């Protein structure tokens, strides 16, 4: 098992490039399956999540050439080889379920998708996906196979446009519905749709592909039936989670880092929160510089929310940042019911954090009175100390790395498969900024480095 060994206490200084967005390229690759035409993607990150998605698309019939050095993927799916997603993709990530939306209009065969995975940050059901696709005319059943269950989907009578009202602006359900709608008869209207930058990136790609798609007021997306698809070249948006994470690491270590490619438009709410705690940033044409400019102020209230709110994937490193701020701050997680799984290890590292089941802050969320630990108070500043820790999920992973960068002793971090899914060359990038960080084999089996749950 590989581990990271980090000896903290050094300020991060320099310049680093943020990679393309994981949550965008993975969906774009699936969207490319809608047509038989060639698609070329630029700014593709070298991360495990893209490896898995490329593997998945190849399985379905895509011919893919990935120039990893240049960050370019060329893909073309002249015909489908199968519509059966093998069991080895079961639980791998959130992508296989999108195969239903992408393939329904392209095959009369059953589309078979094993159990959906992703980080264990809540129950993460897919009921909104299923209900929306059924409304478009899909027939979807969950059946037991040899070892575990799989979704069987088909649209033998074709798909027809419909008005779909999502109960919550789910990113995945919006994407799945858009993909299916592109080949459904007539017009589909998605109300209460997610409008995250990664969804807009998907919409821009589809528009280039020839899909007539509108983003209307009030979270409404309209998609028209499409018959002719074009070849497309598309540059993937920069990862706003990675950009923010690198920025927070710079500020918390009292350093200064220019994050090349960080996109201002996608980080407005995040930058406002940095401003509130007295952290420094300067927006330039080609990126954002983040820097420490004096003691950080706590007393902050963050409520995570759908875009344009404060992104749920920003809260974990932000909590680490707040351990270094003077005063108490409150975080209310309203997107996932179980996204504070990392708090226990942070406490062991010396953070003063406390979890609550109540909605702390202005509004009652979907998780009120449901006994989920979805609010957190962090009191600072507190020095952090090095520990052996195992990463429980992707975004918690970077929070641990950040905590280790603050602790003067050496920390050993296991569970790197989570980090590898979403952060390109994290060791090289942090080392280039002056961090004392190496990737190494674990010395011996250590229970504190064992992973409780796989993705
Ligand atoms: C995506 C992102 C993830 C991000 C999240 C919210 C990817 C691969 N992952 O996840 O990084 O944190 O958006 O911005 O793009 N829900 C249901 N039923 C459903 C679908 C969702 O109850 O059918 C619930 C979820 O349990 C969760 C909430 O809706 O509480 C939001 O989920 P969703 O927006 O769908 O997140 P993902 O697309 O899985």
């Amino acid at each position: 098992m590989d581990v990271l060994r980090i000896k903290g206490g050094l300020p991060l200084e320099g310049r680093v490039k943020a990679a393309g967005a994981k949550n965008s390229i993975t969906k774009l690759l699936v969207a490319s399956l809608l047509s038989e035409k060639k698609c070329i993607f630029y700014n593709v990150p070298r991360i495990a999540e893209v490896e898995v998605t490329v593997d998945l698309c190849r399985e379905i019939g895509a011919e893919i050439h990935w120039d990893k050095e240049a960050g370019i993927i060329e893909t073309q799916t002249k015909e489908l080889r199968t519509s059966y997603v093998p069991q080895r993709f079961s639980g791998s990530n959130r992508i296989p379920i999108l195969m239903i939306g992408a393939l329904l209009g392209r095959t009369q065969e059953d589309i078979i998708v094993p159990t959906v995975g992703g980080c264990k940050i809540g129950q993460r059901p897919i009921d909104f996906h299923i209900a929306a696709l059924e409304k478009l005319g899909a027939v979807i059943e969950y059946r037991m196979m040899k070892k575990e269950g799989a979704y069987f989907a088909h649209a033998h009578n074709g798909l027809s446009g419909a008005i779909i009202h999502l109960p919550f602006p789910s990113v995945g359900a919006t994407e799945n519905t858009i993909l299916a709608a592109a080949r459904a008869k007539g017009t589909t209207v998605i109300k209460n749709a997610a409008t995250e930058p990664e969804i807009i990136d998907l919409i821009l790609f589809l528009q280039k592909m020839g899909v007539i798609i509108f983003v209307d007021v009030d979270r409404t997306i309209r998609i028209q039936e499409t018959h002719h698809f074009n070849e497309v070249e598309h540059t993937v948006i920069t990862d706003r989670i990675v950009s923010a994470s690198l920025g927070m690491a710079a500020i918390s270590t009292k350093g200064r880092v220019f994050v090349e490619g960080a996109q201002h438009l996608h980080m407005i709410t995040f930058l406002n929160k940095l401003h509130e705690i007295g952290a420094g940033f300067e927006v330039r044409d080609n990126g954002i510089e983040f820097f420490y400019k004096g003691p950080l102020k706590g007393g902050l209230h963050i409520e995570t929310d759908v875009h344009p709110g404060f992104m749920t994937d920003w809260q974990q490193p932000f909590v680490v940042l707040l351990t270094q701020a003077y005063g108490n701050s409150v975080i209310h997680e309203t997107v996932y019911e179980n996204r504070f799984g990392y708090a226990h290890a942070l406490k062991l590292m010396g953070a003063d954090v406390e979890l609550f089941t109540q909605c702390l802050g202005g509004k009652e969320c979907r998780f009120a009175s449901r006994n989920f630990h979805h609010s957190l108070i962090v009191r600072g500043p507190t020095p952090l100390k090095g520990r052996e820790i195992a990463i429980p999920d992707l975004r918690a992973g970077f929070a641990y790395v950040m905590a280790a960068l603050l602790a003067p002793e050496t920390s050993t971090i296991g569970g790197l498969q989570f980090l590898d899914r979403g952060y390109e060359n994290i060791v090289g990038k942090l080392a280039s900024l002056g961090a004392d960080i190496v990737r190494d084999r674990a010395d011996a089996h250590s229970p504190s480095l064992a992973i409780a749950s796989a993705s």
Side-chain angles (χ1 to χ4, degrees):
M1 177 182 65
D2 277 4
V3 292
L4 290 182
R5 293 192 208 286
I6 301 175
K7 188 166 172 4
L10 302 169
L12 298 185
E13 308 269 358
R15 179 188 181 103
V16 71
K17 189 172 181 311
K22 156 183 141 347
N23 290 351
S24 186
I25 178 61
T26 45
K27 323 300 175 63
L28 296 172
L29 282 166
V30 175
S32 76
L33 299 172
L34 279 172
S35 95
E36 65 296 339
K37 296 281 176 58
K38 188 194 278 185
C39 300
I40 305 179
F41 298 110
Y42 303 99
N43 200 28
V44 175
R46 273 172 87 159
I47 51 175
E49 197 84 334
V50 177
E51 302 271 2
V52 174
T53 311
V54 162
D55 195 12
L56 180 61
C57 292
R58 280 194 177 127
E59 187 69 37
I60 301 301
E63 286 165 36
I64 300 184
H65 178 256
W66 181 4
D67 180 341
K68 292 186 178 170
E69 284 304 317
I72 300 175
I73 285 186
E74 275 190 38
T75 180
Q76 186 164 16
T77 312
K78 289 184 191 144
E79 51 190 42
L80 301 189
R81 205 158 58 83
T82 176
S83 54
Y84 171 39
V85 177
Q87 291 279 328
R88 73 186 147 89
F89 291 99
S90 167
S92 58
N93 59 23
R94 309 288 298 160
I95 306 305
I97 195 67
L98 299 179
M99 286 295 169
I100 300 183
L103 300 183
L104 270 175
R106 231 190 135 174
T107 178
Q108 290 295 306
E109 303 291 317
D110 270 356
I111 301 151
I112 305 174
V113 174
T115 311
V116 183
C119 288
K120 303 280 183 272
I121 51 179
Q123 290 176 1
R124 305 191 82 175
I126 53 163
D127 49 337
F128 306 160
H129 299 238
I130 307 283
L133 296 172
E134 285 179 341
K135 202 144 186 216
L136 293 176
V139 176
I140 306 178
E141 257 184 83
Y142 188 75
R143 292 189 214 146
M144 282 316 286
M145 301 204 24
K146 270 186 210 149
K147 286 193 189 140
E148 57 179 324
Y151 293 91
F152 285 66
H154 67 80
H156 292 159
N157 298 326
L159 295 171
S160 297
I163 297 177
I164 288 153
H165 190 114
L166 293 176
F168 182 82
S170 151
V171 170
T174 301
E175 291 161 343
N176 224 340
T177 314
I178 290 174
L179 292 175
R183 278 180 169 263
K185 285 189 207 90
T187 300
T188 299
V189 180
I190 310 174
K191 291 185 178 283
N192 204 27
T195 57
E196 266 59 10
E198 295 76 16
I199 301 241
I200 301 299
D201 205 27
L202 173 66
I203 289 173
L204 296 180
F205 167 75
L206 291 173
Q207 194 171 45
K208 290 187 211 172
M209 224 183 181
V211 179
I212 312 233
I213 182 162
F214 300 83
V215 183
D216 289 344
V217 290
D218 297 338
R219 296 191 169 279
T220 300
I221 295 176
R222 257 182 314 132
I223 311 104
Q224 288 179 7
E225 171 178 6
T226 310
H227 297 287
H228 301 290
F229 293 91
N230 308 317
E231 291 198 350
V232 179
E233 292 193 23
H234 188 80
T235 301
V236 180
I237 54 168
T238 304
D239 198 307
R240 61 193 169 120
I241 307 168
V242 171
S243 302
S245 302
L246 292 167
M248 287 185 270
I251 294 161
S252 62
T253 59
K254 301 192 174 155
R256 175 180 282 266
V257 170
F258 178 68
V259 181
E260 191 186 329
Q263 285 179 10
H264 188 186
L265 178 64
H266 302 155
M267 299 175 75
I268 299 172
T269 311
F270 169 73
L271 294 177
N272 283 340
K273 289 298 174 191
L274 286 188
H275 185 73
E276 275 186 62
I277 63 168
F281 64 87
E282 199 180 298
V283 178
R284 308 233 190 99
D285 277 355
N286 56 342
I288 303 178
E289 184 156 62
F290 298 91
F291 53 93
Y292 179 79
K293 60 172 191 184
L296 301 173
K297 295 174 284 189
L300 194 71
H301 178 227
I302 291 180
E303 210 144 40
T304 65
D305 214 332
V306 295
H307 190 73
F310 190 94
M311 195 186 185
T312 165
D313 302 65
W314 288 329
Q315 62 91 344
Q316 307 77 353
F318 214 105
V319 166
V320 179
L321 185 59
L322 289 170
T323 66
Q324 305 307 301
Y326 286 79
N328 303 344
S329 298
V330 174
I331 321 286
H332 181 202
E333 170 61 59
T334 77
V335 179
Y336 289 106
E337 70 275 25
N338 181 20
R339 216 165 184 185
F340 288 124
Y342 64 92
H344 177 67
L346 271 196
K347 254 187 183 170
L348 296 177
M349 293 181 82
D352 186 351
V353 291
E354 200 176 339
L355 291 173
F356 296 84
T357 54
Q358 298 92 330
C359 298
L360 296 186
K363 70 169 187 191
E364 283 218 331
C365 75
R366 295 176 296 146
F367 310 130
S369 320
R370 292 183 57 199
N371 222 23
F372 297 123
H373 283 106
H374 72 293
S375 292
L376 175 145
I377 290 184
V378 47
R379 304 179 184 91
T382 47
L384 299 182
K385 47 184 184 285
R387 296 281 305 201
E388 276 196 354
I389 33 176
I391 294 172
D393 67 73
L394 173 62
R395 302 304 168 194
F398 193 86
Y400 288 174
V401 168
M402 220 171 113
L405 289 169
L406 294 172
E409 307 84 10
T410 299
S411 295
T412 307
I413 303 180
L416 302 191
Q417 72 274 29
F418 291 106
L419 212 53
D420 292 341
R421 279 178 51 197
Y423 294 88
E424 180 185 86
N425 185 22
I426 195 65
V427 172
K429 286 186 180 173
L430 290 175
S432 77
L433 297 173
D436 184 345
I437 177 171
V438 287
R439 188 168 181 136
D440 201 3
R441 298 294 296 169
D443 299 331
H445 179 70
S446 162
S448 51
L449 291 176
I451 318 302
S453 61
S455 78

